[in-house]
Amino acid sequence: MRKILIVGGGYAGFYTAWKLEKKLHRGEAEVTVVDPRPYLTYQPFLPEVVAGSIEARHAAVSLRRHLKRTRLVAGTVVRIDHGHRTVTVQPADGDAFRLGYDTIVVTAGAVTRKFPVPGIAEEAIGLKHVEEAVAIRDKLLTSFDRAATLPPGPQRAKLLTVTFVGGGFSGVEGFGELLSLATALLGRYPELSRDELRFHLVEATGRILPEVSDRPGRWVVRSLERRGARVHLNTQVTSAAGGHVVLSTGESFDSELIVWTAGNAANPVTGRHTDLPVDGRGLVVVRPDLRVGTEDAPVPDAWAAGDDAAVPDLASPVPGALTTPNAQHAYRQGKLLARNLDATLHGREPKPYLHHSLGAVATLGLGRGIFQYRHLVITGPPAWLMHRGYHVLAVPSWERKIRVLAVWLTAAVAGRDILSLASVQHPRDAFVTGGEPAPADRAS
């Protein structure tokens, strides 16, 4: 059997494997997926996990439940040696080992882009995985509990200050949803007032949400500011040491919760540890049909898709444009990649990837959203409903669609869940301390 190795179980990798299971007959090929996590994270749901509108487990799709004929290897691919048709895998436990293959599919996904800002590595939380979304939510809820026991002052002010760095879709949606949760929480905390709540969104460029045009972007800024937030454009964070945020404008403040969403960077395995061709940003160079290489210099038996692939955007009027690294493209590329692999195995020609954008839609909090398709812009509750409708249809498997819908319907009747389970991050504290207060550094 031909050995097909898929590096990464995100959107593109999951859909490639899922569709190959449906297309290939038994005995035609052995498909292996290597990923350190046993699930696909449906990232568009992470802002609603932050707000408690979706159960954390429902924003993840189990690989073992849905990939029944695929071999799953729990580990991280740290090197791709296509010349020898091997990859090096580092498992969570034990020594690294090599896996051989006949055909490789690189769908490792991007990683959070970080800058050497003092304090960020020690203080900030990302928003790319389920555990990060849960930690953000729990930290806000814990901060409210702690602030309610303190008199007004610097420590209480710090606990009620939230800072998001990065004004792309991930940052703006997470910011809007967390602001919605915090505002709703005030009704449960009579000790706290609305004036004490401080939400800062910091963006290095002159606009947020680059996927929408200027006018809708400005509307989002005004909407957030009407809700009491501060949006800092053309501003950078120069330090966050000890939770003290210093901006390039000279403004500074203490912030208990700092969320870093300042864009994506190439996965290290494609950026630095492969002999496959990559561009200046560390993305794998691919042809329109998702085969690695160029029209003049194709690389045999190598394919790539998703956030770590430089996929030509045939729908764009701009010469040399690449597809935007988002879920809308990644899962469609994964499905096409499976069809193209099946085609080449049966002697047919693969087809190029061509997808015309369906528009951009974002949630900004409960009942708030924005949608744009070309010159059509919809805001408010209709856009929010469109966001929910689109993503419940897009999340993989009927099992997950039903679970998400059930939580939404329950929340519509009973309200959102405001329970914090931050203590699960330190499960042995109660056992070790025997009821004594936990150390001060664990309280945060």
Side-chain angles (χ1 to χ4, degrees):
M1 288 192 297
R2 190 165 188 81
K3 295 181 179 180
I4 301 174
L5 178 69
I6 301 175
V7 180
Y11 302 112
F14 173 82
Y15 274 99
T16 299
W18 203 24
K19 296 303 179 182
L20 280 176
E21 287 192 350
K22 301 177 188 301
K23 292 181 175 297
L24 298 179
H25 300 295
R26 289 188 181 275
E28 280 193 283
E30 178 187 83
V31 180
T32 300
V33 173
V34 182
D35 196 284
R37 290 179 172 81
Y39 55 81
L40 152 73
T41 300
Y42 191 71
Q43 292 179 349
F45 278 160
L46 293 186
E48 295 204 56
V49 173
V50 166
S53 300
I54 288 181
E55 169 63 36
R57 290 191 302 269
H58 300 166
V61 179
S62 170
L63 299 181
R64 292 194 177 273
R65 176 169 184 148
H66 298 288
L67 301 180
K68 299 176 182 177
R69 292 168 49 198
T70 299
R71 179 190 177 196
L72 299 174
V73 177
T76 301
V77 172
V78 294
R79 180 172 294 278
I80 299 172
D81 183 359
H82 190 62
H84 294 90
R85 299 296 195 276
T86 62
V87 299
T88 302
V89 180
Q90 178 62 62
D93 301 297
D95 298 328
F97 58 90
R98 291 184 179 182
L99 281 179
Y101 63 83
D102 299 309
T103 299
I104 191 168
V105 177
V106 183
T107 55
V111 298
T112 301
R113 181 176 60 181
K114 295 183 285 290
F115 298 98
V117 178
I120 286 296
E122 296 78 16
E123 302 291 337
I125 304 174
L127 186 51
K128 207 168 186 62
H129 302 289
V130 173
E131 57 268 30
E132 293 173 322
V134 172
I136 291 168
R137 177 174 177 267
D138 285 345
K139 190 156 189 176
L140 179 77
L141 294 170
T142 303
S143 293
F144 266 66
D145 286 332
R146 295 170 61 194
T149 64
L150 295 172
Q155 187 175 357
R156 177 157 148 167
K158 179 180 179 180
L159 288 168
L160 297 177
T161 300
V162 175
T163 306
F164 271 65
V165 184
F169 254 81
S170 178
V172 171
E173 288 191 312
F175 185 80
E177 286 286 350
L178 197 66
L179 176 60
S180 178
L181 171 62
T183 304
L185 283 175
L186 290 171
R188 306 283 183 175
Y189 289 84
E191 305 92 341
L192 307 177
S193 69
R194 179 66 186 83
D195 293 340
E196 294 180 278
L197 202 59
R198 297 284 186 271
F199 267 68
H200 298 268
L201 176 61
V202 183
E203 167 56 37
T205 67
R207 53 170 300 185
I208 62 174
L209 293 179
E211 293 85 351
V212 303
S213 57
D214 289 345
R215 187 174 179 182
R218 290 194 297 269
W219 178 88
V220 173
V221 171
R222 292 195 301 271
S223 174
L224 293 172
E225 289 178 339
R226 283 195 298 268
R227 294 161 60 188
R230 286 280 309 279
V231 180
H232 306 264
L233 300 178
N234 296 310
T235 304
Q236 298 177 354
V237 174
T238 59
S239 176
H244 183 69
V245 178
V246 181
L247 305 181
S248 58
T249 58
E251 184 177 354
S252 64
F253 48 84
D254 290 332
S255 182
E256 179 69 13
L257 175 56
I258 302 171
V259 183
W260 184 267
T261 61
N264 295 325
N267 194 293
V269 72
T270 63
R272 299 189 294 273
H273 306 298
T274 181
D275 57 353
L276 294 172
V278 297
D279 65 11
R281 295 178 296 168
L283 303 179
V284 180
V285 176
V286 299
R287 297 148 47 116
D289 60 8
L290 305 180
R291 286 185 286 188
V292 174
T294 63
E295 295 294 339
D296 299 328
V299 177
D301 303 319
W303 305 73
D307 291 357
D308 61 2
V311 181
D313 189 353
L314 301 183
S316 173
V318 180
L322 303 177
T323 56
T324 305
N326 60 23
Q328 186 177 144
H329 285 297
Y331 93 88
R332 286 181 171 83
Q333 290 169 8
K335 292 194 291 185
L336 175 66
L337 208 159
R339 293 196 297 269
N340 283 350
L341 280 169
D342 178 64
T344 56
L345 285 174
H346 294 95
R348 302 191 305 273
E349 284 296 314
K351 295 182 178 180
Y353 177 74
L354 173 62
H355 172 65
H356 295 276
S357 175
L358 301 176
V361 62
T363 174
L364 303 173
L366 194 62
R368 298 178 173 91
I370 184 169
F371 168 81
Q372 181 178 17
Y373 177 70
R374 296 183 179 176
H375 299 296
L376 173 65
V377 178
I378 300 174
T379 61
W384 175 75
L385 288 172
M386 292 171 69
H387 178 274
R388 286 201 161 187
Y390 172 79
H391 285 298
V392 80
L393 291 174
V395 67
S397 84
W398 280 102
E399 173 256 341
R400 273 299 179 258
K401 299 180 199 294
I402 292 170
R403 290 182 188 275
V404 170
L405 277 173
V407 172
W408 279 343
L409 292 173
T410 302
V413 176
R416 73 172 96 214
D417 192 340
I418 61 169
L419 177 66
S420 169
L421 292 177
S423 57
V424 301
Q425 298 173 35
H426 309 288
R428 298 184 63 252
D429 277 358
F431 173 74
V432 172
T433 64
E436 293 292 331
D441 61 335
R442 289 288 179 88
S444 60

